[in-house]
Amino acid sequence: MIAVALVAVGSLVQVVAKSGGFGGALNTTGEKSGHGKSESKKLESPSEKPKTIRLGGQRVPRQAGPIIVVNPGLVTPGGKATVEGAGFDARSMVDLFLKTSAKKDEGKGIASAKTDKWGSINAQITVPENVSSGAVVVAQQRDAEKTAEAQLVAGGVAGSVKASKMVGKPGDSVSLNVRGFGAGETIDVYWGRASGRPDATLTADGSGGIGRADVKVGVAPTGPSTLILVGRKSHTTASAPFQVLGLYPTIKSSPWALKSGQRISVSASGFAPNERILFYINSAGGIPAFTANADANGRSGTVAFDVPFGLKGTQSLTAMGDRTRAVVRSAFQVMPYTPAAEPSTYSGKAGTAVSFYVTGFAPRENVTVFTGGPNGDARKIATFQVNDKGAAQAVGSYQITKADEGGVSFKLVGSKSGGVTKASVNSAQRGGQQNQGQNQGQNQGQQGQGQ
């Protein structure tokens, strides 16, 4: 046995020495010829299978004869591989065929190569997208019966992905290392699911992998989840466990206190990238008051809106992520309108015309003037509109009657704001206040003269 092994090793060394270690071949892939690429042909079976012995765990030829090897041993569909061979005639043409069917004498031409002076070849091939795991590469010398075969092992059944970290919240950056996909294929990235619209897309290189790809954590239920990658052509899948953390968004509104009809500005941050943010006033469900879209960093731009009329006191403001359902709450205060009105005169005889000077109403709202007492006998006497500042001058004319000489009161009501103010003419209380003021002025004057 020792003698047989030495003979085998000697024969192997001789073949490798003549072939230059399979390294000196001429690559003529794609050369046009009668046996060129993509042409089917009947194949010659090796006339005699080379006798082999087991050496170092591998079977190797014991005597000279054609042999080919496909590198790498695992090739992804669409990827490239190198076919190295030796034992052919020097300076001869060798055609490479891919045998994918059960018929042993048919194959599809995929490349051609010319041997070097030692009879060695070195050719590049591209593995078809639909190659099966049982495909065989056949090297056949033209015009000769020298043939060699090698099993083509196609990958793409199971890929792999490694993440730079295994914990994060939606929007955090994670680096991925990907292997085992089809060459150049598009890879869809999902978080916590494996269908629907992908959270990101990647493109594999010629080897079916990606050295480093930076992606952002997508939206998934808080807690243990899974990162899933799916190849669009090969349908190769790869997954990795991932712990999804909860989001804690923030909201800011300005100003905190304002009146109905005035504008408030709202902004939010801390949501998932590009998700829609739903804003609610005094509720947390149903139809939102308004919406905004978060940017790639989970922040919404400033949204401004006019506070609706009818709101009074403290109001709640809720922002909710449309997909994540992350919630943050705030509040703002709606202050009441407190208008004021002054009549053009505080006293007058019958026939005297009275108008009003008003301030403090809502901009551009209509104001209605009522007159009468508290016993249900109030009647509408005039309507006017205030300006952009909620004010008006010499509006709502009223003519005093004989019955009004004893005193008449007016109530002015804003149609939108609901603001109410009162005024009176020929009022005893008002006259008393005026007389009291005059008496105080006279007393102060007399004291000054006495001093």
Side-chain angles (χ1 to χ4, degrees):
M1 288 297 295
I2 296 176
V4 173
L6 291 176
V7 171
V9 173
S11 299
L12 179 62
V13 171
Q14 183 179 5
V15 172
V16 175
K18 289 182 179 180
S19 65
F22 297 155
L26 301 177
N27 185 352
T28 58
T29 302
E31 179 181 335
K32 295 181 181 179
S33 66
H35 304 286
K37 189 176 180 181
S38 300
E39 181 181 333
S40 297
K41 180 187 175 183
K42 253 188 176 180
L43 303 176
E44 299 289 343
S45 298
S47 57
E48 182 181 354
K49 292 184 179 180
K51 295 180 180 180
T52 62
I53 63 169
R54 185 171 294 277
L55 183 64
Q58 301 292 329
R59 287 195 174 276
V60 296
R62 193 181 69 178
Q63 60 187 23
I67 181 175
I68 60 172
V69 178
V70 180
N71 288 314
L74 180 65
V75 188
T76 58
K80 295 185 180 297
T82 301
V83 177
E84 298 176 290
F88 298 95
D89 292 338
R91 312 296 185 186
S92 64
M93 290 299 301
V94 176
D95 297 315
L96 300 178
F97 300 89
L98 186 64
K99 187 166 59 175
T100 58
S101 66
K103 297 181 179 179
K104 296 183 179 180
D105 59 348
E106 289 186 5
K108 184 178 181 180
I110 53 176
S112 296
K114 188 174 183 179
T115 63
D116 59 14
K117 62 181 179 179
W118 292 287
S120 301
I121 61 169
N122 185 305
Q124 293 285 330
I125 64 171
T126 299
V127 179
E129 295 284 350
N130 59 348
V131 68
S132 63
S133 59
V136 175
V137 177
V138 179
Q140 184 169 301
Q141 182 177 323
R142 292 183 193 175
D143 304 324
E145 295 183 356
K146 291 190 175 183
T147 303
E149 296 181 353
Q151 185 78 27
L152 179 64
V153 183
V157 177
S160 65
V161 58
K162 293 182 180 180
S164 59
K165 56 184 179 181
M166 300 178 64
V167 177
K169 64 181 183 297
D172 287 351
S173 293
V174 178
S175 296
L176 305 181
N177 180 276
V178 183
R179 290 290 180 268
F181 288 82
E185 82 168 320
T186 300
I187 303 172
D188 292 329
V189 181
Y190 300 94
W191 296 86
R193 56 191 172 86
S195 61
R197 183 177 180 180
D199 295 290
T201 56
L202 307 174
T203 303
D205 57 23
S207 67
I210 303 174
R212 173 174 174 169
D214 293 329
V215 300
K216 290 189 175 182
V217 178
V219 175
T222 302
S225 188
T226 307
L227 166 64
I228 302 174
L229 277 63
V230 180
R232 289 188 181 177
K233 290 184 178 180
S234 66
H235 302 293
T236 299
T237 60
S239 62
F242 197 88
Q243 184 79 13
V244 179
L245 303 177
L247 292 172
Y248 297 94
T250 59
I251 187 173
K252 180 181 179 181
S253 60
S254 178
W256 183 81
L258 71 169
K259 297 178 180 179
S260 298
Q262 295 181 342
R263 180 153 293 193
I264 184 173
S265 297
V266 180
S267 60
S269 61
F271 286 92
N274 305 313
E275 82 167 324
R276 188 171 61 161
I277 304 175
L278 312 178
F279 291 89
Y280 297 90
I281 298 177
N282 296 331
S283 68
I287 304 301
F290 58 95
T291 65
N293 290 325
D295 60 17
N297 296 314
R299 292 192 292 263
S300 73
T302 300
V303 179
F305 66 96
D306 295 334
V307 175
F309 286 96
L311 297 182
K312 297 179 180 179
T314 302
Q315 313 296 316
S316 67
L317 181 62
T318 302
M320 177 185 297
D322 193 10
R323 293 184 296 161
T324 61
R325 293 293 155 176
V327 175
V328 60
R329 293 179 174 85
S330 182
F332 61 94
Q333 186 78 13
V334 179
M335 307 297 292
Y337 280 86
T338 55
E342 294 288 340
S344 57
T345 180
Y346 288 102
S347 63
K349 298 287 186 180
T352 303
V354 179
S355 59
F356 301 92
Y357 295 80
V358 299
T359 58
F361 284 98
R364 310 297 298 177
E365 76 170 327
N366 292 327
V367 177
T368 301
V369 184
F370 298 88
T371 183
N375 298 322
D377 55 349
R379 69 182 188 278
K380 176 180 175 180
I381 62 172
T383 298
F384 58 88
Q385 187 180 55
V386 296
N387 59 21
D388 292 337
K389 296 182 179 180
Q393 297 180 355
V395 290
S397 178
Y398 173 76
Q399 192 171 36
I400 297 176
T401 65
K402 192 70 176 176
D404 297 329
E405 290 183 348
V408 58
S409 61
F410 303 94
K411 182 171 71 172
L412 292 82
V413 182
S415 61
K416 293 190 297 184
S417 66
V420 177
T421 185
K422 296 180 179 180
S424 61
V425 175
N426 291 331
S427 170
Q429 181 180 1
R430 180 72 182 180
Q433 290 176 349
Q434 288 180 332
N435 294 335
Q436 182 180 3
Q438 291 175 356
N439 293 334
Q440 289 178 352
Q442 292 175 357
N443 293 335
Q444 291 176 355
Q446 293 175 356
Q447 291 177 0
Q449 292 175 358
Q451 293 174 354

